[in-house]
Amino acid sequence: MTITIADVAAAAGVSKTTVSRVLNGKDDLDAQTADRVRRVIAELGYVPSARAVGLARGRTRIVGMLVPSLTWPWMGEVLQGAVDAMEAAGYGLLLFTVNRGEDSMRQFAQQVSARAFDGLLVVEPDGQTGYIAELYAGGLPVVLIDDRAARRPMFPSVGTTNRSGARSAGEHLIALGRHRPLVITGKVTFGCTRERVAGFADAYAQAGLPIDPALVFEGDFSYRCGREAVLRSAGTGFDAVFAHNDLSATGAMQAVVESGRTVPGDVAVVGFDDLPLAAHAQPPLSTVRQPLREMGDAAARLLLAHFAGAPLPANPVTIPTTFVTRESTTGR
């Protein structure tokens, strides 16, 4: 039978409010009464609800996290970084997705209204920037991960160096003598896509090698779009592929091989993210490494520091990308 706070109060001959004050460490009770309540708690084996104690103290020790979908290839790495930091600090993570559109957002809004969490980590779902900004302006601590906005974000954020990462991919291919790259982008509505397009073009422009617009294919970060881009570009003489994520890069590699060409002999291929699949692709994929787990960890630590009294940063926190060379470009 579950022991309740009412059972403790009755056994100790005090009110439920008094029991609650003992549980929350209030020092305005006489020592004898407090000791009696503690003895009864121990004798009955009463375990208070962590949520109830948290609410009584004005905090839940839970952080919300709102993401577009758990099917995004890199989402698990970001989540793991955030979860590790939160659990180490004794916090739980309450996860929300927007897979069901407005129904999902209504459920999320209900939890916001109920003050179910102390702060919010966000991988920004499309069309929700204004709502999240309202929550932040209303006092909810918010940190955005992987800012996709073209303008400066309206609340604290953790991101990476998309433009310089893409530039490093271009410089690598140019050094290998690859002058005619096929570029497979992500959705152009994403800020990260525009930054990667610009950074890659910077490298080629600096080398006096403008990119052929006919070889820029707008994709959607999927394996399928990587394959389609290669198949549609047959006969154009491209000697390299720069795909905006590893999944579309592996699709492109497969299509290159199926067309009778070799990787990297005929076509060098570079991705972006450095997901686990990159190292296990055939051949292993050269790629721009996004610090995904570190980004989740950094965002979580910003909230934890804020709970301890530190202000959230006014400027975005940026963790740099690194280039990882593998056999899809070097052959060794």
Side-chain angles (χ1 to χ4, degrees), residues 117-148:
F117 41 83
D118 300 330
L120 181 65
L121 299 174
V122 184
V123 178
E124 180 191 346
D126 286 336
Q128 301 299 330
T129 308
Y131 174 57
I132 302 302
E134 289 177 9
L135 297 180
Y136 178 66
L140 179 67
V142 175
V143 177
L144 176 67
I145 301 170
D146 186 37
D147 174 33
R148 291 180 280 152

Side-chain angles (χ1 to χ4, degrees), residues 291-311:
L292 298 167
R293 191 170 295 209
E294 294 93 327
M295 289 161 63
D297 175 83
R301 291 183 185 279
L302 288 179
L303 278 184
L304 291 170
H306 179 69
F307 298 154

